[in-house]
Amino acid sequence: METTTRTDISKPTGLALCGGGAKGAFQAGALEVLAARGMLTELRAIAGCSVGALNMVLYTLSLAGKDAELIGRIWKEIRREDLLKAERGGTAIFSREGMIRLLHMLPLELVSASPLQLYVSVWNVTESRAEFHKLNGLSPDRIRTLLMATSALPGAYDAVQYQGYVYMDGGVSQQGNLCIQPLYDAECREILVVSHDKEMYLDGVQNVKLMRGFGKTNLRTQYPDCDLMLLKPYQSLGGLFRGTLNFSADTILRRMEQGRLCAEGFLDDSDDAYDPNGRLIEEMEAILPDGAAFARWMDCSAEDFIPNFPTKTMEGKLWYNDIYERDGWRVQHHRVKGLRGHYRILDPDGVRRAWAMNAEQLIRALLTFRARANVFRPVSRNGDPME
């Protein structure tokens, strides 16, 4: 995770939602947390590419209808066959019937009338350039057309005709996928970028992996008077087939939860006044009094953590602090600013048995474990059984 280098996090005036197909469930989960924690109250403009544009529209509708659960509800209803039905007789692989049906269900006139400035990223095939189209004031039919265009992944879906030009997915270009430029042009100077690519960096250490080759880009240099913030996954969300085109119901739910956890970690990590470990240590002292309790916790709680492959570690001598230890079992907290949401649990052999994005996820896992009285009944600090 990368955060602003300032000691406190500013509320963005611009929100850039990158593309990523089915990975957009991560973005949807992140938006739920960002909105609930009051991070988006100062927004004046949003720009979205591909699935980011769809999430932009869903967020706008959630505001208009005061329905905070709208984004999650729509994503939970999406099924693979809705968007990946084989096309018959056309040049594309998949049909757009499901997308068309979804867009006709949405009250897009509320998008047109939104007080927020809303921009969709598209690639102009005819002129070979990135473009950003403002949705405010457009008819629902024109908004639908632009949303179809921005999500027209080359090869998978047919390109879209609009106002005499041919358009496809805005993610064809780096500028189009990042969506920063229209926000900058709208005089937003605090911009939060929500990406689906864990290899994206604002300072050009590595570059966004897109469909065309690009050199390294330092976005902080490109926008020197802009406070850029980045929220991204801690682990890869997959490639084309396991990621972008994977609309299975279980995967969508898992990615939404990853988005929520990463957003919570992003906000908590950016607040220097926030002390995440106080309550966590209290709960561990009460619920995990010894190594046997740790072992039982790991054996019955794998689903409460981010998927983990047991990995032998160097035991965190350089990058981690031990915040709790019993009989060789350790809970470690990353000590580097920018990664302080990262926790991991090591067994007595130094093998990583589980990891989490923030203290709240660990606390939830502990409380769930405590509730499973048939597995382990914890005791209080004075040795009495806990209710």
Side-chain angles (χ1 to χ4, degrees), residues 14 19 210:
L210 298 174

Side-chain angles (χ1 to χ4, degrees), residues 53-270:
L54 175 62
N55 282 330
M56 174 184 72
V57 165
L58 294 178
Y59 175 69
T60 302
L61 293 177
S62 74
L63 289 179
K66 298 182 179 180
D67 183 359
E69 298 180 356
L70 175 66
I71 301 176
R73 190 165 63 248
I74 293 294
W75 270 98
K76 290 173 185 177
E77 293 174 356
I78 293 175
R79 293 296 177 264
R80 184 182 188 280
E81 55 271 21
D82 293 333
L83 300 176
L84 300 180
K85 181 179 179 181
E87 179 67 280
R88 295 183 179 180
T91 59
I93 300 175
F94 303 114
S95 166
R96 305 307 306 272
E97 292 179 7
M99 184 68 172
I100 294 171
R101 185 167 55 252
L102 170 62
L103 294 180
H104 275 279
M105 292 170 52
L106 301 177
L108 297 180
E109 64 277 5
L110 298 179
V111 174
S112 179
S114 174
L116 296 172
Q117 299 177 55
L118 305 174
Y119 300 90
V120 162
S121 167
V122 290
W123 178 256
N124 186 324
V125 179
T126 309
E127 300 289 337
S128 189
R129 65 174 181 239
E131 294 182 1
F132 299 96
H133 290 252
K134 193 173 183 178
L135 299 185
N136 305 81
L138 297 184
S139 68
D141 283 342
R142 291 178 68 181
I143 293 175
R144 270 190 291 269
T145 300
L146 286 168
L147 292 174
M148 292 290 288
T150 190
S151 61
L153 184 68
Y157 301 110
D158 284 327
V160 174
Q161 297 269 351
Y162 181 70
Q163 294 187 327
Y165 296 97
V166 177
Y167 291 101
M168 62 172 55
D169 194 316
V172 166
S173 74
Q174 178 180 354
Q175 182 187 31
N177 187 58
L178 292 177
C179 297
I180 295 174
Q181 192 60 48
L183 303 175
Y184 188 82
D185 292 341
E187 299 186 352
C188 296
R189 291 298 180 267
E190 301 84 19
I191 298 176
L192 172 60
V193 180
V194 184
S195 172
H196 299 109
D197 186 351
K198 83 178 191 71
E199 299 299 332
M200 178 179 173
Y201 296 84
L202 296 176
D203 57 7
V205 173
Q206 296 188 48
N207 194 45
V208 186
K209 295 179 180 177
L210 298 174
M211 303 175 69
R212 297 183 174 189
F214 295 95
K216 295 179 180 179
T217 301
N218 189 327
L219 295 171
R220 297 193 190 281
T221 301
Q222 188 173 345
Y223 299 97
D225 61 335
C226 193
D227 183 6
L228 293 174
M229 296 165 276
L230 175 61
L231 195 166
K232 64 178 181 177
Y234 291 91
Q235 60 181 152
S236 172
L237 300 181
L240 178 62
F241 294 104
R242 294 187 178 182
T244 306
L245 300 179
N246 187 353
F247 285 92
S248 70
D250 289 344
T251 301
I252 285 175
L253 292 176
R254 185 169 66 252
R255 286 182 183 148
M256 289 183 67
E257 181 62 14
Q258 286 176 287
R260 295 186 190 101
L261 292 172
C262 286
E264 288 173 351
F266 170 81
L267 294 175
D268 294 340
D269 184 53
S270 301

